[in-house]
């Protein structure tokens, strides 16, 4: 059972007040410049003040109400503290709307109802642009459902910082234990016989801190945990705090970080057991993903004394220079478009791993990056006929980091996959430390994504190994798009505005209502033979959007529309992958629909069979008013006319010049069945 102590103290006033930045509001005397977006339902301020609600009874048939802040010019890192309550069923999201951008960036969301007010802590990263905050409430239609905001506070600094002088305790919460818990210490009302210390912030009895005492401990190793709110963005730097501890052997005090998967990592344990005054601690945090900071104390008996903490702060600069990263793991990235990057083949393996290019054709897939680029291929006709062992070595990366390795592979043919591809971690002496992955039976003729998380204490490198005892028993194996980053592959990245891989839904893309046909979100191979993809572009086993030609008539159209984009004076780049394979393939067009006139302009078009591969399209466009992107597919003359799209990205700025695909119209390729190694 979890008990959030800050709720019990919510309406207490603790004296010292933090500096409130523009955008803060308690709704006592008005809405502080916050307004309801007229496109959606209205937020309603309570007659007596104190809170504002989006209530299902006043939604006027709309799904959501959006509360928009005044324009904020907060350039330094700050923390948004939000006191809210969801009654019945509904959800609350906080977005950031940056000046001149098409999209709103989702910062935080919640959909769990509660019977009391709750605290959310949301980091607002430093920025050079002005922005607005959007509070999006979506109460369900059921009677009594509502989303309410009680207080919006924006304060300087990071959300994990706290001096415990505010009633909300900065979002820190106690993990309830029947016998030992963290409490708020200080104040003039405490027991005069207590040996607890004065507050560190004010250096007197008026201030506050957090402490845990062993007086009620009944069992060996009873644990008390004080946990920060989960950060909403990655943080790296120096965590500082003060602590006091009055027993030499009666307790164990540790500080951990905990990620979204629940994995703990100890970052500090005291070298000094007992202290006679507040002692400063500086400890480095390197977190490429959101985390919680956990202060944990375990008592051996009721005579284990107490531990107190105060004045938690954070700096983006590391406490110790030797902690700073010495290398960028992206040096191990490679898409093989121009060369082998920092990878090298052993001399004996130089004819095993071959750098190849496949032109668009109807028989063999091209590379994963663009569909027309380069990749590595094992077991071509350059390979020795009697078998081989080929090793592809990556660059060295420093130890004591958790790395996420991602790459794509594809299999061709129907031969055995035993030892076709294995991943080893080698040390600086070229000694294999661990085999972290090996290929098993899988789908053929599709690029499949692999995620591997590994950690080693020493400097290491990744080695891709392919072994074949008999040339005629081994399949063709392709490798492409290697990516290495610091972090855990299992921790999903948050949604990025303008990007959609259709893995968890349609991202707001909608069907234009017609009687002709629809775009379908599916997984796996499409049902009609000799048309459509075998899998998606994102992972090889995920979801994509396509038209099923057997459900449509020749010339019928399906149209898929993006969400409304606000418009900008700056150029934007649209990137997506399309699949047009089948002898009867029709036409795929991308259009821009202006919101003011509803007129449509053609941005890009392809007709006829293009390739058995997923192909990348990149195009620049600019629109200064509200608009939508329209994907229009027209069914061809036969049922072998499936058309698919995946991995759509709309981002600010022009497309990279040397990778663009700016041809507005193209027909059937004359070199469709040509390919070369």
């Amino acid at each position: 059972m979890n008990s959030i102590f800050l709720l019990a103290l919510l309406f207490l006033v603790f004296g010292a007040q933090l500096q409130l930045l523009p955008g803060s509001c308690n709704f006592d005397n008005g809405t502080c410049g916050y307004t309801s977006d007229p496109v959606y339902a209205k937020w309603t301020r309570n007659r007596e003040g104190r809170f504002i609600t989006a209530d299902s009874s006043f939604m006027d048939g709309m799904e959501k109400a959006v509360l928009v802040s005044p324009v904020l010019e907060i350039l330094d890192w700050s923390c948004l503290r939000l006191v809210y309550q969801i009654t019945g069923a509904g959800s609350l999201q906080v977005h950031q709307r940056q000046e001149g951008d098409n999209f709103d960036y989702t910062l935080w969301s919640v959909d769990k109802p509660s019977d009391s007010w709750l605290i959310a802590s949301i980091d607002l990263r430093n920025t050079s642009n002005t922005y607005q905050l959007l509070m999006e409430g979506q109460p369900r239609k059921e009677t009594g459902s509502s989303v309410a905001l009680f207080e919006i506070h924006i304060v300087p600094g990071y959300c994990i910082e706290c001096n415990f002088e505010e009633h909300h305790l900065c979002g820190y919460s106690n993990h309830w234990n029947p016998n030992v818990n963290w409490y708020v210490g200080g104040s003039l009302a405490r027991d005069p016989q207590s040996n607890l210390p004065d507050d560190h912030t004010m250096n007197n009895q008026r201030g506050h801190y957090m402490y845990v005492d062993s007086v009620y401990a009944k069992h060996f190793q009873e644990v008390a945990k004080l946990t920060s709110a989960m950060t909403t963005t990655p943080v790296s730097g120096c965590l500082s705090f003060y602590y006091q501890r009055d027993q030499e052997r009666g307790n164990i005090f540790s500080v951990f970080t905990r990620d979204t998967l629940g994995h703990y990592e100890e970052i500090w344990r005291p070298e000094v057991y007992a202290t006679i005054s507040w002692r400063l601690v500086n400890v480095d945090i390197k977190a490429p993903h959101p985390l919680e900071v956990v202060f944990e104390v375990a008592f051996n008996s009721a005579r284990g004394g107490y531990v107190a903490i105060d004045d938690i702060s954070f700096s983006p600069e590391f406490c110790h220079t030797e902690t700073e990263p010495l290398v960028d793991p992206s040096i191990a990235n490679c898409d093989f478009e121009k060369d082998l990057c920092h990878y090298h083949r052993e001399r004996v393996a130089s004819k095993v791993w071959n750098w190849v290019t496949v032109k668009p054709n109807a028989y063999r897939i091209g590379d994963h990056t663009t569909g027309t680029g380069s990749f590595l291929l094992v077991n071509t006709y350059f390979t020795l006929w009697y078998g081989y062992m080929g090793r592809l070595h990556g660059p060295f990366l420093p130890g004591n980091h958790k790395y996420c390795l991602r790459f794509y592979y594809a299999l061709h043919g129907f031969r055995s996959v035993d030892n076709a591809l294995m991943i080893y971690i080698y040390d600086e002496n070229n000694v294999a430390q661990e085999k972290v992955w090996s290929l098993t039976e899988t789908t053929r003729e599709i690029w499949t994504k692999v995620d591997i998380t590994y950690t080693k204490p020493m400097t290491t490198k990744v080695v891709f190994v392919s072994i074949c005892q008999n040339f005629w028993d081994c399949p063709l194996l392709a490798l492409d798009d290697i990516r290495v980053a610091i972090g855990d592959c299992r921790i999903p990245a948050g949604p990025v505005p303008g990007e959609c891989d259709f893995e968890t839904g349609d991202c707001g893309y909608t069907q234009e209502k017609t009687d002709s046909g629809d775009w379908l979100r599916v997984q796996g191979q499409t049902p009609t033979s000799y048309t459509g993809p075998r899998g998606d572009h994102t992972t090889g086993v995920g979801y994509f959007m396509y038209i099923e030609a057997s459900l449509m008539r020749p010339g019928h159209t399906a149209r898929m529309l993006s969400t409304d984009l606000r418009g900008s004076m700056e150029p934007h780049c649209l990137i997506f992958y399309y699949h047009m394979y089948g002898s009867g393939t029709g036409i795929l067009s991308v259009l821009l629909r202006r919101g003011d006139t509803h007129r449509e302009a053609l941005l890009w078009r392809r007709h006829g069979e293009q390739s058995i591969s997923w192909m990348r399209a990149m195009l620049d466009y600019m629109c200064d008013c509200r608009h939508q992107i329209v994907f229009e597919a027209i069914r061809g003359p036969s049922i072998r006319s499936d058309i698919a799209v995946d991995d759509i990205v709309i981002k600010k700025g022009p497309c990279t010049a040397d990778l663009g695909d700016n041809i507005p119209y193209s027909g059937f390729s004359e070199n469709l069945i040509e390919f070369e190694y």
Side-chain angles (χ1 to χ4, degrees):
M1 174 181 178
N2 290 322
S3 175
I4 304 178
F5 271 39
L6 59 90
L7 294 180
L9 302 167
L10 185 61
F11 298 102
L12 298 179
V13 179
F14 276 175
Q17 298 293 317
L18 292 178
Q19 173 191 354
L20 295 181
L21 297 176
S24 300
C25 192
N26 60 13
F27 303 106
D28 271 347
N29 301 311
T31 61
C32 315
Y34 282 83
T35 57
S36 294
D37 189 325
V39 177
Y40 307 105
K42 290 184 178 181
W43 286 79
T44 305
R45 180 172 167 265
N46 183 45
R47 293 179 180 178
E48 299 177 359
R50 300 302 295 173
F51 64 91
I52 190 170
T53 61
D55 194 294
S56 60
S57 302
F58 306 101
M59 296 298 288
D60 298 326
M62 299 185 181
E63 293 185 355
K64 60 185 177 181
V66 178
L67 189 67
V68 183
S69 77
V71 176
L72 305 177
E73 190 174 0
I74 305 174
L75 306 183
D76 296 327
W77 199 296
S78 56
C79 178
L80 167 64
R81 310 271 189 209
L82 190 67
V83 183
Y84 71 95
Q85 183 177 2
I86 298 175
T87 304
S91 65
L92 174 62
Q93 295 183 331
V94 178
H95 309 282
Q96 187 181 56
R97 175 173 291 175
Q98 297 184 1
E99 182 183 12
D101 208 332
N102 264 329
F103 305 99
D104 298 329
Y105 294 78
T106 302
L107 303 177
W108 173 85
S109 64
V110 66
D111 58 6
K112 295 181 179 179
S114 69
D115 55 5
S116 60
W117 296 101
L118 299 178
I119 301 285
S121 298
I122 305 164
D123 283 292
L124 304 176
R125 300 176 64 93
N126 48 315
T127 178
S128 57
N129 300 319
T130 59
Y131 61 86
Q132 292 174 289
L133 295 175
L134 281 67
M135 314 294 169
E136 180 183 308
Q138 295 190 37
R140 296 284 176 84
K141 294 181 179 180
E142 292 87 344
T143 302
S145 294
S146 66
V147 179
L149 301 177
F150 178 80
E151 189 175 82
I152 301 172
H153 278 186
I154 304 177
V155 296
Y158 292 75
C159 288
I160 59 175
E161 296 181 309
C162 197
N163 60 12
F164 302 108
E165 302 301 330
E166 289 290 298
H167 58 263
H168 48 60
L169 305 183
C170 317
Y172 278 80
S173 61
N174 171 71
H175 183 81
W176 175 256
N177 182 306
N179 300 317
V180 292
N181 292 282
W182 287 89
Y183 296 96
V184 178
S187 84
L188 295 174
R190 69 178 184 178
D191 184 354
Q193 303 299 319
S194 171
N195 63 343
L196 292 173
D198 289 340
D199 164 70
H200 176 268
T201 311
M202 301 181 180
N203 196 28
N204 60 35
Q205 295 181 0
R206 295 181 180 275
H208 298 85
Y209 54 87
M210 298 299 292
Y211 78 96
V212 56
D213 200 319
S214 66
V215 64
Y216 298 112
K218 296 181 180 179
H219 307 289
F220 181 71
Q221 290 287 295
E222 290 208 73
V223 176
K225 293 182 180 180
L226 181 70
T227 306
S228 74
M230 181 73 70
T231 62
T232 55
T233 186
V235 293
S236 293
C238 180
L239 176 71
S240 301
F241 63 93
Y242 288 85
Y243 81 98
Q244 275 205 43
R245 192 179 183 202
D246 77 335
Q247 287 289 331
E248 183 173 349
R249 299 290 181 182
N251 58 67
I252 300 173
F253 180 30
S254 302
V255 181
F256 299 85
T257 57
R258 182 171 61 191
D259 62 28
T260 54
L261 299 177
H263 297 156
Y264 284 82
E265 180 182 352
E266 186 177 70
I267 59 174
W268 178 83
R269 181 173 292 193
E271 298 177 355
V272 178
Y273 287 98
T275 63
I276 59 175
S277 60
W278 289 102
R279 181 179 290 268
L280 175 64
V281 173
N282 295 313
V283 58
D284 286 315
I285 292 179
K286 295 174 289 185
H289 45 69
L291 55 77
E292 297 169 330
V293 177
V294 182
F295 295 87
E296 182 177 293
V297 178
F299 293 106
N300 295 328
S301 70
R303 298 181 178 181
Y306 71 82
V307 174
I309 62 171
D310 200 5
D311 291 340
I312 302 170
S313 61
F314 187 82
S315 168
E317 302 294 331
F318 285 108
C319 319
H320 312 99
T321 55
E322 64 270 17
T323 308
E324 297 186 38
L326 301 177
V327 67
D328 181 357
S330 66
I331 65 170
N333 295 353
C334 194
D335 60 13
F336 303 107
E337 292 305 297
K338 297 180 179 179
D339 52 33
L340 269 62
C341 309
H342 294 283
Y343 288 81
H344 71 273
R345 301 166 289 190
E346 292 182 357
R347 181 172 301 178
V348 294
S350 60
K351 294 299 183 181
V352 174
W353 291 96
N354 293 282
W355 186 39
V356 302
T357 300
V358 175
K359 291 182 178 180
N361 69 92
Y363 305 103
R364 179 165 294 166
I365 62 172
D367 79 320
H368 179 264
T369 315
T370 67
T372 61
S374 300
F375 57 97
L376 292 185
L377 186 66
V378 172
N379 196 5
T380 69
Y381 53 73
F382 295 115
T383 308
L384 299 177
W385 66 271
Y386 50 79
Y388 54 81
M389 174 184 288
R391 295 186 183 91
L392 179 71
H393 295 254
F396 282 107
L397 296 174
N400 294 316
H401 293 275
K402 182 178 288 186
Y403 291 107
C404 172
L405 166 66
R406 289 190 164 109
F407 63 91
Y408 288 84
Y409 73 89
L411 283 176
H412 309 288
F414 299 95
R415 299 171 183 169
S416 170
V417 300
D418 293 342
N419 299 321
L421 183 61
M422 297 169 287
I423 311 300
Y424 285 86
I425 306 299
Y426 277 45
D427 64 17
E428 289 181 290
N429 298 317
N430 274 332
V431 176
Q433 295 294 312
E434 182 184 3
K435 181 170 76 170
V436 294
W437 182 85
S438 61
L439 178 63
T440 57
E441 278 295 335
T442 186
T443 304
R444 311 288 176 121
E445 307 297 336
I446 185 70
W447 287 103
T448 304
K449 183 182 179 183
V450 175
D451 290 346
I452 301 170
T453 300
Y454 70 93
T455 306
K456 292 296 176 186
M458 75 290 287
T459 298
T460 58
K461 62 181 176 181
V462 172
V463 179
F464 295 82
V465 180
S466 182
I467 302 174
C468 184
Q469 301 297 331
N470 184 331
F471 172 81
W472 302 107
D473 290 336
C474 299
L476 286 167
L477 183 136
L479 179 68
D480 202 6
D481 288 344
I482 302 172
R483 295 289 183 270
V484 180
I486 294 178
D488 195 318
C489 297
R490 295 166 294 182
I491 298 178
V496 179
E499 296 187 9
C500 188
D501 57 15
F502 301 106
E503 295 304 301
T504 58
D506 57 17
C507 312
Y509 282 84
T510 56
Q511 305 280 345
E512 186 171 78
K513 301 299 182 182
T514 68
D515 295 328
S516 297
D518 290 321
W519 287 87
L520 307 175
R521 177 177 172 265
V522 298
Q523 183 181 28
Q525 188 170 353
T526 56
T528 308
S529 60
Y530 301 106
T531 188
R534 290 176 176 266
D536 77 321
H537 179 266
T538 314
T539 66
V541 295
Y543 290 86
F544 57 93
M545 301 294 291
Y546 92 113
I547 64 163
E548 174 52 54
S550 64
L551 303 178
M552 303 168 65
R553 294 181 179 179
H556 276 190
T557 300
R559 290 164 63 88
M560 181 172 67
L561 284 67
S562 72
T563 56
D564 282 339
L565 307 175
R566 284 197 304 277
S568 171
M569 295 299 294
E570 299 184 30
H572 278 69
C573 177
L574 170 62
I575 307 169
F576 64 95
Y577 286 83
Y578 64 95
H579 196 281
M580 299 177 70
Y581 164 60
S583 57
T585 303
I587 302 173
L588 175 63
S589 304
V590 179
L591 306 103
L592 186 146
R593 173 185 288 181
R594 295 177 62 95
D596 52 357
T597 63
H598 293 285
R599 292 183 178 179
E600 295 182 351
L602 178 66
L603 299 178
W604 178 95
R605 174 171 288 169
R606 293 288 183 271
H607 76 73
E609 186 177 49
Q610 298 296 307
S611 175
I612 197 173
S613 299
W614 283 99
M615 307 287 286
R616 185 179 70 185
M618 300 179 69
L619 54 125
D620 293 300
Y621 82 92
M622 187 164 63
C623 184
D624 59 0
C625 68
R626 187 175 291 273
H627 63 281
Q628 293 174 287
I629 300 296
V630 182
F631 290 85
E632 178 186 86
I634 301 177
R635 198 257 210 196
S638 77
I639 62 171
R640 293 187 173 90
S641 182
D642 293 351
I643 297 175
V645 297
D646 199 6
D647 292 341
I648 302 171
V649 177
I650 305 174
K651 61 181 183 179
K652 184 191 296 185
C655 300
T656 306
D658 61 344
L659 296 179
D661 181 3
N662 296 308
I663 304 172
Y665 179 86
S666 175
F668 196 93
S669 171
E670 296 180 356
N671 300 317
L672 182 63
I673 62 173
E674 289 189 16
F675 62 92
E676 64 183 16
Y677 289 151

